[in-house]
């Protein structure tokens, strides 16, 4: 044999082969992401600097900053502000509802736990649009929820109002909060909580000082998973809110379809993307550290 | 008479249908180093957790310094625990870990700083106050856990296999250190372990448990020299068992027909098992060398095992095999397999246990 076993050349060759195999495994995902995600995103980015022809066709020839400048327009800023508030409020609502529930699931016996997790995921089997229309029926003037509220004398029909939108958003995004929280709480070493109790912490103090900090990665992951789609929410405010107020989601849709102003739609989309990218990076850096 | 620090009265703990602790009665004196010793699953940790308030007895009562604990939660009990896996808070520094209990009890900040500093010095971790648990070695983490409990000056310190995760050399060093610390602070230690050597060397008294029952309570010598039953004799150290029957008080007839003098507690005719420690057996080639008054049994050397500091001879008596341990001392007689030898032991070293 000319090359003895274990020489650097053989080792390098084996590493190259390993890398090739790895690339082969990732290839379908790469193709998918590049063709259907990266390239269209580049289009959107480029269109942000295009101008709108009289027929509504984006003109790439004389590119300019008109669409980007529109971002600082008071109407757009107002819409962005409103959407941010809506998304923030929805995130907080989801967190408040999901944390106790995730805690409850994580502290059950394994069989009960798996059952409950399945129940959390079942709604995904039905299309989101269909489920939102179902809420419309429930909230309508002769809907189940409305009649219950009237029976109790507490509320009337909430359809096409802010509470209806929040109800719909909470319903739609709750699983995205429950699942990461569950994963974080399930990993908690309960002997730490016992140690806190042993060191004179009340049940609430032990939660505040030990359980909550230890589950922070789950809180952060869940918040991001809810906040981002809430910011661009379109279906829920449109169907349950009656599209009475303009949010970022329906503003962008309007620019692309009704106003046929692709450059402005693209610019707003890109702006959200960039702001979210920066915000999540900062958020992860601040709280995502491991111990 | 000293006060009773921990009183466990007819305590039983059941988990669903499993009896973890079975009708245990135990009183631990103030200032005592008391060990609960037994194999895993014997109920020793559950007993400790019931004293801490992390579990509650199904039946019975637990008192701490005369006060009935009832269903008091752990934060209202004058005890602190050193947990098996240390359970240090990973998101806090050493100083924050140690100061946690004081902060929870709303001790003034300046006093916390001072006491935390002293506690860290006591366990010889000076200069480590700002580290995170992850940056410490196993032995150092163990010390933090100890300081975190001691800083609160509990009336009773509960330790759940605190040295279990350490390697042998470190464990032996920590055993001495723990004993010194206990003397220095003078509080009652209740120490759970499955390591019999650890229990024998550290404890004032030991309680041996198996299958939820407390089998024997006594000083190290009592437990080792005068085991109450076969399990205790077998679990603590090494021993040989020889079956026989009580012939008269202080005399047992072995299964091979020989009469030997032994410590008996049972009436004539009772079937008993003699327990005989390997190091209590002396081996001779000639009957004339045996000191007068010793029991003798004649057998053949079946096997010899070399342990460095000692040699083990497996002796075949025909009706039973026993192991005899001989120090590897200079001028000590060596025996070869096949030799006929005389095994001699005193009456005091053979304890007759009823089945």
């Amino acid at each position: 044999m000319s090359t003895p076993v274990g020489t650097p050349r053989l080792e390098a060759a084996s590493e190259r082969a390993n890398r090739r195999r790895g690339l082969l495994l990732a290839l379908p995902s790469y193709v998918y992401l590049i063709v259907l995600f990266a390239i269209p995103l580049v289009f959107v980015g480029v269109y942000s600097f295009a101008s709108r022809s009289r027929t509504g066709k984006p003109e790439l020839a004389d590119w300019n900053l008109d669409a980007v400048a529109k971002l600082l327009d008071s109407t757009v800023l107002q819409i962005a502000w409103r959407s941010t508030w809506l998304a923030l409020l929805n995130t907080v609502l989801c967190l408040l509802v999901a944390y106790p529930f995730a805690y409850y699931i994580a502290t059950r016996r394994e069989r009960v736990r798996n059952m409950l997790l399945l129940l959390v995921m079942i709604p995904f089997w039905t299309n989101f649009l269909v489920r939102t229309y179902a809420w419309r029926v429930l909230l309508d003037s002769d809907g189940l929820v409305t009649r219950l509220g009237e029976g109790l004398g507490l509320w009337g029909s909430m359809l096409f109002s802010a509470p209806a939108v929040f109800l719909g958003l909470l319903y739609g995004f709750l699983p995205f909060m429950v699942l990461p929280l569950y994963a974080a709480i399930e990993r908690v070493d309960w002997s730490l909580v016992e140690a806190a109790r042993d060191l004179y912490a009340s049940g609430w103090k032990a939660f505040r000082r030990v359980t909550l900090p230890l589950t922070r990665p789950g809180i952060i992951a869940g918040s991001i998973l809810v906040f981002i789609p809430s910011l661009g929410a379109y279906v829920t405010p449109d169907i349950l809110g009656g599209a009475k107020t303009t949010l970022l989601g329906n503003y962008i849709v309007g620019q692309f379809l009704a106003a046929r102003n692709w450059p402005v739609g693209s610019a707003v989309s890109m702006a959200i993307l960039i702001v979210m990218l920066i915000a999540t990076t900062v958020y992860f850096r601040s709280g995502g550290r491991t111990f | 008479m000293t006060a009773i620090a921990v009183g466990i009265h007819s305590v039983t703990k059941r988990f669903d249908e499993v009896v973890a602790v079975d009708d245990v009665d135990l009183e631990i004196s103030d200032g005592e180093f008391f060990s609960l010793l037994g194999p895993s699953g014997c109920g020793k940790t559950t007993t400790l957790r019931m004293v801490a308030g992390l579990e509650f007895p199904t039946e019975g009562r637990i008192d701490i310094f005369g006060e009935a604990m009832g269903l008091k939660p752990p934060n209202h009990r004058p005890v602190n625990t050193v947990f098996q896996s240390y359970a240090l808070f990973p998101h806090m520094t050493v100083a924050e870990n140690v100061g946690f209990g004081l902060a929870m009890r709303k001790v003034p900040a300046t006093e916390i700083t001072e006491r935390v500093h002293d506690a860290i010095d006591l366990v010889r971790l000076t200069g480590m106050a700002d580290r995170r648990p992850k940056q410490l070695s196993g032995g150092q983490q163990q010390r933090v856990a100890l300081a975190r409990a001691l800083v609160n000056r509990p009336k009773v310190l509960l330790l759940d296999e605190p040295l279990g995760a350490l390697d042998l050399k470190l464990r032996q060093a920590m055993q001495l250190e723990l004993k010194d610390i206990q003397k220095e602070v003078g509080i009652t230690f209740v120490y759970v372990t499955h390591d019999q050597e650890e229990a024998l060397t550290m404890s004032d008294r030991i309680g041996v448990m198996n299958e939820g029952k407390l089998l024997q309570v006594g000083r190290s010598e009592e437990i080792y020299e005068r085991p109450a039953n076969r399990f205790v004799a077998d679990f603590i150290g090494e021993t040989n068992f020889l079956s026989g029957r009580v012939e008269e008080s202080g005399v047992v007839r072995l299964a091979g027909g020989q009469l030997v003098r032994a410590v008996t507690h049972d009436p004539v005719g009772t079937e008993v098992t003699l327990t005989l420690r390997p190091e209590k057996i002396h081996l001779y080639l000639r009957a004339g060398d045996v000191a007068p008054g010793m029991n003798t049994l004649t057998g053949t050397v079946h096997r010899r095992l070399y342990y460095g500091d000692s040699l083990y001879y497996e002796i075949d008596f025909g009706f039973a095999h026993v192991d005899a341990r001989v120090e590897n001392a200079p001028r000590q007689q060596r025996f070869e397999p096949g030799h006929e030898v005389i095994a001699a032991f005193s009456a005091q070293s053979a304890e007759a246990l009823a089945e």
Side-chain angles (χ1 to χ4, degrees):
Chain A
M1 269 210 286
S2 58
T3 348
V5 175
T7 59
R9 270 181 56 204
L10 268 180
E11 213 176 282
S14 132
E15 269 171 26
R16 269 199 306 277
N18 253 334
R19 270 201 296 275
R20 269 200 303 274
R21 270 195 294 276
L23 187 66
L24 207 64
L25 287 174
L27 199 62
S29 306
Y30 274 140
V31 170
Y32 180 89
L33 285 172
I34 289 168
V35 172
L36 296 173
F37 184 75
I39 294 173
L41 198 64
V42 170
F43 283 156
V44 176
V46 170
Y47 278 161
S48 306
F49 302 102
S51 56
R52 180 183 179 277
S53 77
R54 233 174 290 121
T55 53
K57 202 168 160 271
E59 297 281 359
L60 285 174
D62 56 351
W63 69 276
N64 54 61
L65 290 173
D66 289 357
V68 180
K70 189 95 159 73
L71 289 176
L72 297 174
D73 191 286
S74 68
T75 348
V76 176
L77 283 177
Q78 213 180 354
I79 291 166
W81 185 241
R82 195 183 295 142
S83 284
T84 308
W85 263 112
L86 181 97
L88 260 180
L89 199 62
N90 183 44
T91 308
V92 172
L93 275 176
C94 280
L95 188 61
L96 289 178
V97 175
Y99 201 103
F101 185 53
Y103 188 94
Y104 175 81
I105 300 177
T107 50
R108 291 310 99 183
R109 276 176 299 126
E110 196 171 340
R111 276 189 51 190
V112 182
R113 204 192 290 178
N114 292 338
M115 257 275 288
L116 289 168
L117 283 175
L118 186 70
L119 288 178
V120 170
M121 286 184 275
I122 278 178
F124 287 123
W125 300 352
T126 311
N127 182 289
F128 184 63
L129 199 62
V130 174
R131 284 185 283 140
T132 309
Y133 272 109
W135 268 104
R136 192 167 169 158
V137 174
L138 286 172
L139 295 174
D140 216 341
S141 54
D142 59 347
L144 207 62
V145 176
T146 310
R147 271 186 291 173
L148 182 74
E150 281 166 352
L152 292 167
L154 291 177
W155 64 79
S157 173
M158 288 186 277
L159 197 57
F160 304 137
S161 70
V165 175
F166 279 115
L167 212 58
L169 287 174
L170 178 66
Y171 162 79
F173 293 120
L174 202 58
F176 297 106
M177 189 63 99
V178 170
L179 295 177
L181 280 177
Y182 163 79
I185 297 168
E186 201 255 344
R187 270 203 306 271
V188 168
D189 175 0
W190 296 108
S191 74
L192 296 176
V193 179
E194 286 189 338
R197 296 302 309 272
D198 185 68
L199 294 163
Y200 312 109
S202 61
W204 166 248
K205 274 274 176 62
F207 174 76
R208 268 280 297 116
R209 299 291 303 272
V210 177
T211 315
L212 201 60
L214 291 178
T215 52
R216 202 164 61 170
I219 297 175
I220 290 169
S223 300
I224 288 171
L225 284 179
V226 171
F227 182 77
I228 294 175
S230 300
L231 191 70
Y234 165 64
V235 171
T236 313
D238 211 54
I239 295 175
L240 298 179
K244 278 192 283 198
T245 48
T246 312
L247 295 168
L248 281 173
N250 42 22
Y251 180 76
I252 292 169
V253 171
Q255 289 304 312
F256 275 104
L257 300 182
R260 294 195 63 78
N261 195 339
W262 286 28
V264 171
S266 301
V268 175
S269 302
M270 285 310 282
I272 296 174
L273 188 82
I274 291 163
V275 168
M276 287 313 304
L277 214 57
I278 294 168
T280 44
T281 309
V282 170
Y283 200 25
F284 265 121
R285 287 267 165 84
S286 72
R289 68 157 187 263
T290 49
F291 307 112
Chain B
M1 198 188 147
T2 48
I4 302 300
V6 180
I8 297 171
H9 305 289
S10 316
V11 165
T12 294
K13 176 68 180 176
R14 276 187 286 269
F15 293 106
D16 295 325
E17 288 309 300
V18 182
V19 182
V21 174
D22 193 355
D23 196 22
V24 165
D25 274 289
L26 176 65
E27 288 188 333
I28 299 168
S29 305
D30 188 15
E32 196 173 19
F33 195 121
F34 190 94
S35 293
L36 278 171
L37 175 64
S40 61
C42 72
K44 56 193 193 296
T45 295
T46 306
T47 306
L48 195 79
R49 287 170 61 81
M50 285 192 286
V51 178
L54 298 167
E55 308 277 358
F56 298 109
T58 314
E59 285 160 37
R61 201 179 87 230
I62 291 176
D63 297 345
I64 296 174
F65 283 94
E67 191 193 341
M69 285 298 114
L71 294 178
K72 269 193 183 178
N75 47 325
H76 292 143
R77 295 190 181 207
V79 299
N80 287 112
T81 308
V82 176
F83 288 83
Q84 185 168 17
S85 52
Y86 316 139
L88 299 178
F89 305 125
H91 55 299
M92 297 181 197
T93 63
V94 168
E96 285 166 343
N97 265 281
V98 175
F100 189 88
L102 297 175
M104 286 300 120
R105 284 199 297 180
K106 305 230 158 43
V107 172
T110 50
E111 194 189 330
I112 293 182
T113 317
E114 202 174 300
R115 279 168 72 174
V116 165
H117 183 85
D118 289 349
I120 289 175
D121 279 352
L122 178 72
V123 297
R124 301 199 282 116
L125 282 177
T126 315
M128 307 267 184
D130 297 323
R131 304 243 182 126
R132 299 243 171 198
K134 237 192 178 173
Q135 298 167 295
L136 302 177
S137 70
Q140 289 169 333
Q141 290 182 22
Q142 209 284 321
R143 287 155 198 265
V144 176
L146 190 63
R148 186 176 70 173
L150 281 173
V151 75
N152 304 295
R153 297 177 194 147
K155 286 185 176 172
V156 179
L157 185 71
L158 309 171
L159 303 103
D160 185 7
E161 308 229 9
L163 309 181
L166 306 180
D167 59 51
L168 184 66
K169 285 261 189 267
L170 191 56
R171 196 157 70 223
Q172 286 168 342
M174 281 302 296
Q175 284 172 12
L176 295 175
E177 210 171 308
L178 262 179
K179 188 74 191 152
D180 287 344
I181 287 173
Q182 194 251 345
K183 276 198 198 123
E184 200 177 323
V185 297
I187 56 176
T188 313
F189 274 36
V190 183
Y191 192 95
V192 159
T193 182
H194 68 269
D195 183 333
Q196 36 114 355
E197 216 173 276
E198 201 168 280
L200 288 175
T201 54
M202 297 171 79
S203 321
D204 296 321
R205 282 196 306 154
I206 298 170
V208 184
M209 289 187 76
N210 188 40
E211 292 178 344
K213 289 196 169 68
L214 186 61
L215 299 177
Q216 188 175 4
V217 177
R219 289 179 298 108
S220 299
E221 288 94 326
E222 287 167 4
I223 300 273
Y224 187 78
E225 311 278 349
R226 298 275 165 264
N229 57 43
R230 198 185 161 119
F231 177 85
V232 176
D234 197 23
F235 188 73
I236 317 285
E238 289 170 62
T239 198
N240 297 293
F241 290 118
L242 294 168
S243 51
R245 180 195 300 266
V246 178
E247 185 81 3
E248 57 183 273
S249 177
V251 180
V252 171
R253 183 177 292 279
L254 297 179
Q258 302 91 333
L259 286 175
V260 294
R261 279 178 297 112
V263 181
T264 58
H265 308 277
D266 303 291
V268 172
T270 312
E271 297 283 345
V272 291
T273 301
L274 276 191
T275 162
L276 186 57
R277 303 280 183 195
E279 76 277 10
K280 308 276 186 186
I281 302 173
H282 301 282
L283 298 178
Y284 300 94
L285 286 174
R286 289 189 309 266
D289 293 342
V290 180
M294 300 283 270
N295 292 308
T296 55
L297 291 170
T298 307
T300 353
V301 175
H302 183 68
R303 212 198 315 248
R304 183 175 74 187
L305 293 170
Y306 179 79
Y307 275 78
D309 63 338
S310 62
L311 291 108
Y312 274 74
Y313 293 97
E314 192 183 325
I315 315 288
D316 185 357
F317 290 141
F319 67 98
H321 281 230
V322 302
D323 286 333
R325 180 177 184 270
V326 177
E327 286 293 315
N328 188 7
R331 287 190 289 144
Q332 171 66 48
Q333 168 92 52
R334 295 272 181 110
F335 308 91
E336 300 299 328
H339 276 180
E340 184 163 288
V341 290
I342 296 160
F345 56 93
S346 71
Q348 279 302 306
S349 56
E351 182 89 9
L353 306 168
E355 280 301 298

